[in-house]
Amino acid sequence: MDAAAGRLLGAHASGVPCEPVRDLITTADEAYAVQDRLTARWLRDGRRLTGRKIGLTSAAVQDQLGVASPDFGMLFADMAVPDGAEIPPGAVLQPRAEAEVALVLDGDLPHERHTVADLIRATAFALPAIEIVGSRVRDWDITLADTVADNASSGMYVLGARPVPLADVDLRLCGMVLERRGEQLSTGNGAACLGHPLNAALWLADTLARLGRPLRAGDTVLTGALGPVVPAAPGDVFEARIDGLGDVRVAFGKEES
């Protein structure tokens, strides 16, 4: 596990993707132990934890990786990009974009089993989001062990700027369109995320509470993709629109010539 963590940290520091780590670890527990090592290192380096992201909420992706449940990773303050801002070239290795619903909490979720009412009560508001996933593993050649160890293939994330109370939006039926300079690339809706984005958030809240690291007031939760992920290249500009939540935008900077 130390060797797997070192391999991923090396790729993170150098900007050069590494070989998969599944030759060093095999189980989900081992992969999360690697993720914990990376998190501890980054916290020592001064990064600030701001929430969690949920991955593998799509049935198709779960089938591809041979798993039956989502996974999670950490969100840090330096991963957050302002709405409409530009991501510097090389900031995310092998970037891809996906549109999601973000929840921002104003209450703790400490129980091993929560109800939907618990979650709604603890949620301050929802926001539209674009997650920029990335992989330190060469060519996205990943299994479950690889992506979990690699902080659930995290990169950066962009949140919209208009908070919406849950009472004002139907997250299950909300439609999503992700465009690149006006070209429609991905569509979906809230039901594509484990049937409802709140289902994904409930899974995360219960899982983290059982691990002794519950979600707390102030945390941001990226609940998972509402449609297919799309590759991102320098010069791309993405805009996601989610019914009831509004829009969010991000650009990718070009390399200087």
Side-chain angles (χ1 to χ4, degrees), residues 189-207:
N189 56 46
C193 180
L194 289 188
H196 197 300
L198 293 185
N199 293 343
L202 277 175
W203 171 85
L204 179 68
D206 292 353
T207 299

Side-chain angles (χ1 to χ4, degrees), residues 140-155:
W140 278 92
D141 178 16
I142 58 172
T143 63
L144 176 67
D146 297 303
T147 186
V148 167
D150 190 22
N151 197 30
S153 300
S154 64

